[in-house]
Amino acid sequence: MSDRELAWRYSEELVNEPQEIALARQHSLEQGVDAVSPGTGAQLAVIAAASAAKSIVEIGTGLGVSGLWLFRGAPDATLTTIDSELDYQQNARKAFLDAGIAGARARLITGRALEVLPRMNDGSYDLVFIDADPASVIEYVEHGLRLARVGGTVLVAHALWRGRVADPAQRDGTIGLYRTLLKEISQSTAVVSSLSLAGDGLLQLTKLSV
């Protein structure tokens, strides 16, 4: 194992997940749902806290792991989270309630994100987190930047897609979408961006202008 791989593993294993998040992660594993890594979750919490987020949109609820991390950083925020799987959301709602999060702070919407997002208000959110169907990642980011206020942040999980985006020999459609997204974002003057190696890549975009 290379020094870089050792450092990555060390940073992931260093995270001490609270019991409620560890339990939600266990349930995710049991149901075959790919939750964000502990390192990614910790970054979500830091960014939510640093931005003093009060209004958050999450695209891809899963079983609540990422939502719990977002609430850890912004316990007074209101989270609107979207997923097409009702069973997942029922598990996430229970995880939120078990963690002591008031029901009114979590608005769970069951439906296809590309049908829900157009009905949401422009420039109304402090933070948008995207962890959903990779085939629609570019459209999700476009919606996320529309929904975020100026100074708000959009976060995209799995931006290095299992470590394959950086490998020029890998050429499938999903990898191509992430490469296109990363290239376009790096050239944009409307955002300031950073790509973290946490998990399998966390793309961070802060909106500078409309």
Side-chain angles (χ1 to χ4, degrees), residues 67-91:
L68 288 169
W69 273 116
L70 289 164
F71 275 124
R72 183 165 176 79
D76 296 326
T78 298
L79 173 69
T80 300
T81 180
I82 306 164
D83 203 297
S84 60
E85 297 291 338
L86 177 60
D87 289 348
Y88 293 174
Q89 290 201 319
Q90 289 174 337
N91 278 272

Side-chain angles (χ1 to χ4, degrees), residues 96-119:
F96 296 157
L97 292 173
D98 289 348
I101 297 163
R105 293 210 173 277
R107 178 188 179 211
L108 287 79
I109 300 176
T110 306
R112 294 185 65 253
L114 291 179
E115 295 174 357
V116 174
L117 294 168
R119 303 197 297 269

Side-chain angles (χ1 to χ4, degrees), residues 58-196:
E58 178 183 49
I59 304 171
T61 309
L63 272 67
V65 173
S66 51
L68 288 169
W69 273 116
L70 289 164
F71 275 124
R72 183 165 176 79
D76 296 326
T78 298
L79 173 69
T80 300
T81 180
I82 306 164
D83 203 297
S84 60
E85 297 291 338
L86 177 60
D87 289 348
Y88 293 174
Q89 290 201 319
Q90 289 174 337
N91 278 272
R93 186 184 299 280
K94 184 177 187 304
F96 296 157
L97 292 173
D98 289 348
I101 297 163
R105 293 210 173 277
R107 178 188 179 211
L108 287 79
I109 300 176
T110 306
R112 294 185 65 253
L114 291 179
E115 295 174 357
V116 174
L117 294 168
R119 303 197 297 269
M120 300 176 73
N121 293 332
D122 294 8
S124 298
Y125 298 91
D126 300 313
L127 189 60
V128 179
F129 175 57
I130 299 167
D131 183 10
D133 177 15
S136 300
V137 66
I138 292 176
E139 292 167 282
Y140 292 151
V141 171
E142 290 171 349
H143 279 293
L145 289 171
R146 176 182 61 80
L147 296 176
R149 61 170 175 80
V150 173
T153 297
V154 177
L155 304 171
V156 185
H158 310 299
L160 290 171
W161 196 244
R162 322 305 186 203
R164 298 172 188 165
V165 168
D167 182 355
Q170 300 285 338
R171 299 179 180 275
D172 75 29
T174 296
I175 294 167
L177 288 172
Y178 280 107
R179 286 179 181 151
T180 297
L181 172 64
L182 293 169
K183 182 177 180 180
E184 290 180 354
I185 290 300
S186 70
Q187 296 172 348
S188 174
T189 59
V191 300
V192 60
S193 64
S194 175
L195 177 58
S196 164

